[in-house]
Amino acid sequence: MNTDQLKKEIEGIVNKGTMKFMEADTEDVTIHFLINAQNELVIFDVIGDNEAACDHVKERLNYKHVKFKQARQLIPYEVNIKFVRECLE
């Protein structure tokens, strides 16, 4: 199953708002979740070196509705996201 569309949708949700958690130029997180019958993300684990980045992802994504049409309910998904600090020059 191609989850590129789902990854883009998730990136769009987590990249909104402040990125005050950024301690390095990049932060990588891996999100483990499923999609329930209401097409909501149910986050069960976020792994990364920056705990604040993981908390940000959990807060932004848990029970957020997604438009991803190919979702199969109660099937575990894994998505990797890289946050990149914007250069203010």
Side-chain angles (χ1 to χ4, degrees):
M1 175 182 300
N2 186 351
T3 59
D4 288 345
Q5 178 188 348
L6 179 60
K7 181 178 178 180
K8 286 180 184 178
E9 191 171 350
I10 288 172
E11 286 175 339
I13 295 169
V14 297
N15 285 326
K16 290 180 182 173
T18 182
M19 299 289 178
K20 292 181 180 177
F21 60 82
M22 294 290 292
E23 295 175 357
D25 289 337
T26 63
E27 299 286 352
D28 294 303
V29 296
T30 301
I31 308 160
H32 298 270
F33 62 95
L34 56 85
I35 299 174
N36 66 16
Q38 290 78 35
N39 254 33
E40 297 168 330
L41 300 171
V42 179
I43 309 301
F44 52 86
D45 197 17
V46 179
I47 301 168
D49 291 336
N50 182 331
E51 189 175 329
C54 293
D55 290 343
H56 171 80
V57 168
K58 287 180 208 172
E59 181 180 310
R60 300 291 295 178
L61 290 181
N62 210 21
Y63 292 100
K64 289 290 184 193
H65 187 270
V66 291
K67 298 174 184 167
F68 185 64
K69 299 296 183 202
Q70 295 86 18
R72 293 179 50 203
Q73 292 177 21
L74 306 179
I75 300 296
Y77 289 92
E78 177 180 302
V79 170
N80 298 310
I81 293 184
K82 176 177 275 207
F83 294 101
V84 178
R85 181 182 293 177
E86 291 184 11
C87 296
L88 300 174
E89 295 179 21

